[in-house]
Amino acid sequence: MADRIKDVPVYLFTGFLEAGKTKFIQETLEDKRFNNGERTLLIVCEEGEEEYDVSTFSAPNVFIRVLDGLEELTMGNLREWLAKDDCERVVIEYNGMWLLDELYSRLPEYWMVYQEFMFADANTFESYNSNMRQLVYDKLKSAELVVFNRYSDKLDQMTLHKIVRGVSRRCDIAYEYTDGTVKYDEIEDPLPFDVNAPVIEIGDQDYALWYRDMSEEPEKYEDKTVRFKCRYLKRKKVPAGNFIVGRHIMTCCADDIQFAGLICKWEDSDSIVGDSWHILTAKINHKFSRAYGKKGPVLTLISQEDCEVPEQPVASFY
């Protein structure tokens, strides 16, 4: 068997034009702690006012490729550029108007994104979020660190914080002032429901947040009892004695609405007819289910009540 190809680390910098990506990458490549002679392929997917000054890099080992369009971002080109300059790692300054799926679908095998940072101008970020929500969500969803440049105390930090946390609860958030001072976000985000209550009450407006939190930290909800308003669905492929409960969730915009369903066990599940709304009280365990084909959250019905369709049947993070 042939030896496995060595992983190629990729450092990904996202954000919109004039958000500060170039400046940060320039400073990073000037730092010997990061750039100590490793042959580095720098792929620039958009050009702003700032340009790279290779003369100040800590080592003459950076090979820059500037793309004129998305059509140049192909798996074949990426492999060719890496091999031509015998590079061992990649830095990408990504175009904010391109979806990240376009990049990930074209990365060669064994190219691994080690770190992903998003940069934004704190003064224009709300406007971008209002007018190009899908693109903002796309850049926030997998970022490990979000940096707000040109920040000042006159800006509403809580608004910026909530936009980020509406997409990701795990990434770090940093605010960089014009004088170069940086402070990190320390705002706590308590969940809007009590996970230690005898019965965890999930409000209509909190289903999306609970579903994500439960998916990310299933151990937190093991053997807990939850109550929430949901739809009941019965499908042929669901094993006997089980049915589907859940709600539609809008993560970004109307185009990405998806049903966030869970398997629920109930011996009388055959009595379910059609699509109906109920207030469900159930115990939750993370275990194997044939309906999932793997381990997942399985509810066991304790009690139920019929209810009207909520005013906002589609749950969201806002």
Side-chain angles (χ1 to χ4, degrees):
M1 180 181 293
D3 292 337
R4 187 183 186 280
I5 299 174
K6 182 180 179 181
D7 287 347
V8 176
V10 177
Y11 300 89
L12 177 59
F13 298 85
T14 73
F16 300 99
L17 198 63
E18 309 305 331
K21 302 189 297 293
T22 303
K23 179 175 180 289
F24 187 89
I25 296 172
Q26 175 77 37
E27 293 173 350
T28 299
L29 292 172
E30 291 174 353
D31 189 339
K32 290 184 179 180
R33 292 173 297 180
F34 178 81
N35 187 9
N36 195 29
E38 300 87 345
R39 296 179 70 85
T40 303
L41 172 63
L42 171 57
I43 299 174
V44 182
C45 299
E46 64 180 356
E47 290 187 280
E49 292 184 1
E50 288 201 43
E51 296 183 357
Y52 289 101
D53 182 358
V54 297
S55 67
T56 64
F57 290 167
S58 61
N61 59 315
V62 179
F63 303 87
I64 302 178
R65 293 281 178 173
V66 180
L67 275 60
D68 292 324
L70 183 59
E71 66 279 359
E72 293 186 73
L73 189 66
T74 67
M75 190 177 297
N77 281 342
L78 294 175
R79 286 173 173 160
E80 179 183 338
W81 297 334
L82 188 79
K84 182 177 180 180
D85 296 312
D86 194 26
C87 293
E88 54 191 296
R89 65 180 183 176
V90 179
V91 174
I92 300 177
E93 180 181 350
Y94 199 61
N95 190 317
M97 304 306 291
W98 302 348
L99 293 174
L100 281 172
D101 285 349
E102 296 283 2
L103 171 65
Y104 282 107
S105 66
R106 303 170 195 217
L107 288 181
E109 190 177 7
Y110 306 132
W111 284 38
M112 304 297 175
V113 176
Y114 274 28
Q115 292 181 307
E116 181 180 333
F117 307 106
M118 178 189 175
F119 291 80
D121 185 329
N123 298 277
T124 59
F125 184 68
E126 287 184 65
S127 176
Y128 272 102
N129 186 62
S130 298
N131 297 304
M132 295 189 292
R133 172 63 185 163
Q134 183 179 10
L135 289 170
V136 171
Y137 170 83
D138 180 67
K139 305 306 178 296
L140 288 173
K141 63 184 180 182
S142 52
E144 298 172 42
L145 172 66
V146 176
V147 179
F148 287 107
N149 285 305
R150 307 177 184 96
Y151 180 80
S152 75
D153 291 328
K154 295 180 180 179
L155 296 172
D156 186 352
Q157 183 182 138
M158 181 59 76
T159 297
L160 301 177
H161 170 92
K162 285 183 176 179
I163 292 173
V164 176
R165 287 291 175 253
V167 179
S168 171
R169 293 175 60 85
R170 295 190 171 189
C171 72
D172 292 322
I173 306 173
Y175 305 92
E176 183 172 357
Y177 292 79
T178 53
D179 65 0
T181 304
V182 177
K183 72 174 182 180
Y184 284 87
D185 192 301
E186 296 181 348
I187 299 174
E188 294 187 7
D189 290 292
L191 292 168
F193 42 83
D194 184 1
V195 297
N196 295 313
V199 178
I200 305 172
E201 300 279 353
I202 310 299
D204 283 352
Q205 69 277 14
D206 301 326
Y207 181 84
L209 182 59
W210 169 71
Y211 186 89
R212 182 177 64 188
D213 192 62
M214 182 255 320
S215 300
E216 292 178 348
E217 300 184 66
E219 68 281 355
K220 184 191 299 184
Y221 296 93
E222 186 68 19
D223 284 326
K224 297 292 182 70
T225 299
V226 295
R227 180 184 292 127
F228 57 94
K229 193 177 295 183
C230 60
R231 293 170 60 191
Y232 283 10
L233 302 175
K234 185 65 178 176
R235 296 291 184 266
K236 292 181 179 179
K237 293 184 179 180
V238 176
N242 294 265
F243 66 107
I244 302 171
V245 303
R247 296 182 68 158
H248 280 91
I249 289 180
M250 182 173 68
T251 303
C252 166
C253 54
D255 290 338
D256 73 359
I257 293 176
Q258 294 184 336
F259 189 74
L262 301 166
I263 291 298
C264 186
K265 296 175 61 177
W266 183 35
E267 59 184 11
D268 294 327
S269 62
D270 289 342
S271 64
I272 295 173
V273 177
D275 181 348
S276 54
W277 282 86
H278 303 265
I279 298 174
L280 171 69
T281 302
K283 184 178 179 180
I284 186 168
N285 295 101
H286 192 77
K287 58 185 179 181
F288 178 83
S289 169
R290 284 197 293 121
Y292 296 133
K294 59 181 181 180
K295 282 189 174 182
V298 177
L299 303 177
T300 301
L301 186 144
I302 297 174
S303 65
Q304 61 174 329
E305 307 168 42
D306 295 343
C307 69
E308 299 294 327
V309 178
E311 291 185 12
Q312 294 184 329
V314 178
S316 70
F317 295 96
Y318 297 91

